[in-house]
Amino acid sequence: MSSHTEHKIIPSQLEEARKSLALSIEEVASKTGIDSSDLSKWERGDEEPSIEQLWDLARIYHRSTDYFLRQTPKFREQLNFRLTKQRTIDDLPAQTRETIVRFDELCRAETELENLLKKPTKLIVEKMISDISPEQLATGERQRLQLDNKPIKDLRKVLTGAGVRIFMLPIKDKKISGLSWWHHEYGPCILINAYDEPRGRRAFTIAHEYAHLVRGHPPTICDLELHDPEEHYANRFASYFLIPATDLKKEFGRVVGIAGTLPNDLQLGILASRYSVSLEALSRRLEELGLIPQGSTDRYIAEWSLRPSRFRGARGPRWRRQLGEKFVSLTLEAHSEGHLALGKLARYLGIDARKALDIAEAEEKPKSQKAEYT
Amino acid sequence: MTQSAQSISGSYVLDTSAAINLERSGRLGSLPPPGNWIILPPGVAREMNPDNPGTPEATKKWLAAGRVAHLTDQEESLYRELILNPAADDGEAQAIAMAYYRGAVLVIDEKKTGELWRISQSYSITCVTSEELFNKIKPRLPGL
């Protein structure tokens, strides 16, 4: 096999990679030391970078080399976000843009892994664009996902099983809770800010983003505290979906007592943890169901704000939790079966090749000998 | 493994898996530094990253004592084709391309039934594992 096709660098991919990070040609030039006129020529297709220059660009753009040699779905068209607070994607901090690019790469990788292993995602989720209230939608989705009226122990697992790609990556911009897009190739995808606090809000954010997907809302970067109709709808859906009324009423009676009784913090905590939601989300749902007086949540929040905070700063979850069990196991399986080389395994897992090899080997050992690599 | 006399005295291209395994077994430093006998593709050198605090001192010394290979135009062209295969990352694709055009032996610790061995065989590249390189070939290399 001595002849092979000439694979050119695709100029539009170079431009797309730069623009998806909202970098100007001059910024790339100053980061790489490459002349800006050369960058322009490459993006126009007048000339090609050397392979070493391409590797420099791949590093700056957070893309793998093959990205520049094949046509991929247009990132910016897909991510035509309905941005909040009049911001444009170009206004987002560099770290946020890089995380969104990593999210895009992970969605692409997961799709590629499924193809390699011939394990396509079975998509159970469907868009439900007809006029329907958040409560009706929550009831319908619980039925679709075959959830009864009990709390959902692991929402991420449930939705991943239904065909939604979910990644949890740290975004330092605390105003961003998550984002969602229904990609024409990758399907429904959700990115959750791994720094999202308080505890319990992540499940709420996943449910919130799920509502955007199911409603067919355009790709959205969300700040859950914003009050516009689509955000409000998604919040209400999340509340109904995560905290079913019948179960909450029963549990309230068991844990607190009769309706109208104001629960103490411990009782609120017991209930919030049952549904994996924050104290605030739980309290607002109690108000909505008339189990506690109106305005109680605001009074709780005022009280909590006077207490010394035990919050010691945002801590992102480790890589395994960020990527999710499905992605990690697909990657390790592909490596174990010889479909994926070590370098690619390390790239997909976002870790050093040495650590990737340790993990791959630990994975193949019998369970009794496995070290903890989380 | 069938090893011709020609390939024993020829050069050996390390792929990422082999380089990392040789490092882990403490054998990398006893190989000749990258350059003549041992060819280290740039992508593999990057994976071994001497600037990473986790890189063993012996690896840093070994890398510093030699030189990383550059791809020729022909190698680069084949590398561009191979990188489109979902199995390969930069280091692996470069290692196969370099082994092919240099008539070198590819040292690879990926699964023998896997995609990279299949690709290498389709280019008639002789492949050995790092274990084979160290135990069967290294003792027969002149001057080592």
Side-chain angles (χ1 to χ4, degrees):
Chain A
M1 198 187 284
S2 59
S3 68
H4 46 267
T5 324
E6 189 63 33
H7 292 278
K8 296 272 181 202
I9 295 164
I10 301 171
S12 60
Q13 291 292 100
L14 286 171
E15 186 182 13
E16 183 71 8
R18 178 176 61 77
K19 288 189 170 171
S20 60
L21 286 169
L23 292 171
S24 67
I25 290 224
E26 288 67 32
E27 283 172 306
V28 177
S30 97
K31 279 172 188 275
T32 55
I34 296 170
D35 200 277
S36 57
S37 65
D38 286 338
L39 289 163
S40 302
K41 281 181 207 160
W42 302 340
E43 289 190 6
R44 284 198 306 269
D46 294 346
E47 286 178 18
E48 270 202 353
S50 71
I51 203 71
E52 287 83 6
Q53 287 165 327
L54 185 66
W55 294 331
D56 280 348
L57 292 177
R59 183 176 49 81
I60 298 287
Y61 294 154
H62 298 267
R63 298 286 185 180
S64 52
T65 314
D66 65 305
Y67 177 87
F68 302 99
L69 295 165
R70 72 172 96 216
Q71 198 74 56
T72 60
K74 284 270 177 264
F75 178 79
R76 282 169 66 83
E77 279 170 22
Q78 289 293 325
L79 280 182
N80 181 23
F81 286 110
R82 186 177 59 78
L83 286 151
T84 53
K85 289 193 175 169
Q86 289 83 49
R87 290 197 291 188
T88 70
I89 197 159
D90 298 0
D91 296 330
L92 295 172
Q95 192 267 341
T96 306
R97 285 179 263 145
E98 285 163 14
T99 307
I100 295 170
V101 166
R102 166 89 171 130
F103 171 57
D104 178 48
E105 285 283 280
L106 287 171
C107 294
R108 182 162 76 97
E110 191 168 282
T111 311
E112 200 163 272
L113 286 165
E114 286 168 353
N115 293 337
L116 271 177
L117 293 166
K118 297 185 176 59
K119 286 184 171 177
T121 287
K122 198 175 163 196
L123 192 59
I124 297 169
V125 180
E126 280 174 29
K127 286 185 187 170
M128 182 67 68
I129 304 172
S130 59
D131 196 15
I132 185 173
S133 74
E135 191 158 21
Q136 287 169 319
L137 183 66
T139 308
E141 288 309 305
R142 275 189 159 265
Q143 280 167 359
R144 183 202 302 280
L145 299 168
Q146 296 181 327
L147 303 164
D148 52 21
N149 270 328
K150 292 279 182 271
I152 305 165
K153 288 280 172 231
D154 188 344
L155 179 61
R156 184 180 187 177
K157 192 174 173 187
V158 168
L159 294 186
T160 300
V164 184
R165 306 187 193 285
I166 303 177
F167 297 100
M168 195 180 278
L169 305 177
I171 303 173
K172 285 183 187 149
D173 185 348
K174 285 184 186 166
K175 291 204 171 79
I176 295 174
S177 313
L179 67 89
S180 53
W181 59 336
W182 196 303
H183 192 284
H184 72 277
E185 276 190 17
Y186 315 144
C189 308
I190 291 176
L191 168 63
I192 298 300
N193 185 356
Y195 287 150
D196 205 16
E197 291 288 343
R199 188 170 168 267
R201 196 162 104 164
R202 283 184 203 144
F204 197 89
T205 306
I206 293 174
H208 173 106
E209 296 301 335
Y210 181 65
H212 284 310
L213 289 173
V214 174
R215 292 296 289 164
H217 291 162
T220 306
I221 293 181
C222 289
D223 173 350
L224 297 193
E225 284 154 17
L226 274 176
H227 302 287
D228 77 26
E230 284 181 359
E231 294 300 297
H232 187 60
Y233 186 103
N235 276 344
R236 289 183 62 201
F237 167 85
S239 178
Y240 298 144
F241 185 70
L242 291 172
I243 318 172
T246 46
D247 189 75
L248 179 58
K249 283 176 185 166
K250 200 175 96 196
E251 281 304 301
F252 187 87
R254 193 178 66 79
V255 175
V256 184
I258 56 165
T261 312
L262 213 53
N264 60 32
D265 284 1
L266 179 64
Q267 291 165 328
L268 268 184
I270 291 169
L271 292 172
S273 123
R274 177 174 174 83
Y275 303 103
S276 306
V277 296
S278 66
L279 295 176
E280 182 184 339
L282 189 272
S283 179
R284 295 217 183 276
R285 184 77 169 118
L286 291 173
E287 264 187 47
E288 200 172 55
L289 292 171
L291 292 168
I292 58 174
Q294 291 295 314
S296 302
T297 306
D298 291 338
R299 283 194 290 281
Y300 277 129
I301 291 171
E303 269 179 47
W304 296 333
S305 69
L306 295 174
R307 294 185 199 158
S309 171
R310 284 189 289 171
F311 177 53
R312 291 180 185 160
R315 278 178 45 195
R318 293 194 180 177
W319 64 270
R320 193 164 198 139
R321 192 156 162 68
Q322 290 185 12
L323 301 176
E325 272 314 309
K326 180 190 172 189
F327 183 85
V328 174
S329 58
L330 282 175
T331 310
L332 291 170
E333 185 183 341
H335 176 71
S336 158
E337 291 188 2
H339 297 304
L340 210 62
L342 178 63
K344 201 75 178 261
L345 175 75
R347 180 186 296 281
Y348 280 175
L349 298 181
I351 54 178
D352 174 65
R354 296 177 179 91
K355 191 174 176 190
L357 188 57
D358 287 343
I359 289 160
E361 286 184 354
E363 206 64 25
E364 288 186 8
K365 281 182 188 166
K367 269 189 178 169
S368 57
Q369 293 175 32
K370 270 189 195 174
E372 199 60 38
Y373 285 107
T374 50
Chain B
M1 181 194 59
T2 54
Q3 199 56 56
S4 71
Q6 189 190 5
S7 59
I8 285 171
S9 61
S11 49
Y12 296 80
V13 182
L14 295 189
D15 113 313
T16 309
S17 57
I20 300 284
N21 267 336
L22 286 163
E23 174 190 283
R24 291 199 324 175
S25 59
R27 292 162 161 178
L28 189 69
S30 67
L31 288 177
N36 296 325
W37 290 101
I38 302 292
I39 297 168
L40 192 67
V44 178
R46 203 173 50 202
E47 292 288 359
M48 303 186 79
N49 187 4
D51 300 328
N52 182 337
T55 304
E57 280 307 313
T59 302
K60 290 181 189 173
K61 274 173 72 176
W62 184 78
L63 289 167
R67 62 178 190 277
V68 175
H70 289 282
L71 282 90
T72 63
D73 288 349
Q74 281 182 315
E75 288 164 357
E76 186 184 317
S77 175
L78 178 54
Y79 154 73
R80 287 186 188 204
E81 179 169 319
L82 295 172
I83 197 68
L84 292 173
N85 186 309
D89 204 47
D90 285 334
E92 293 91 4
Q94 289 162 13
I96 294 174
M98 287 176 149
Y100 177 65
Y101 278 109
R102 295 176 195 216
V105 174
L106 177 63
V107 189
I108 177 171
D109 282 353
E110 299 288 349
K111 268 214 158 43
K112 286 190 175 178
T113 51
E115 183 65 6
L116 289 193
W117 278 75
R118 190 197 62 73
I119 297 170
S120 304
Q121 279 158 4
S122 75
Y123 283 93
S124 308
I125 297 168
T126 304
C127 298
V128 298
T129 64
S130 64
E131 194 70 25
E132 288 166 342
L133 172 74
F134 202 84
N135 292 331
K136 297 185 184 169
I137 299 168
K138 184 177 168 276
R140 296 159 66 187
L141 288 175
L144 288 171

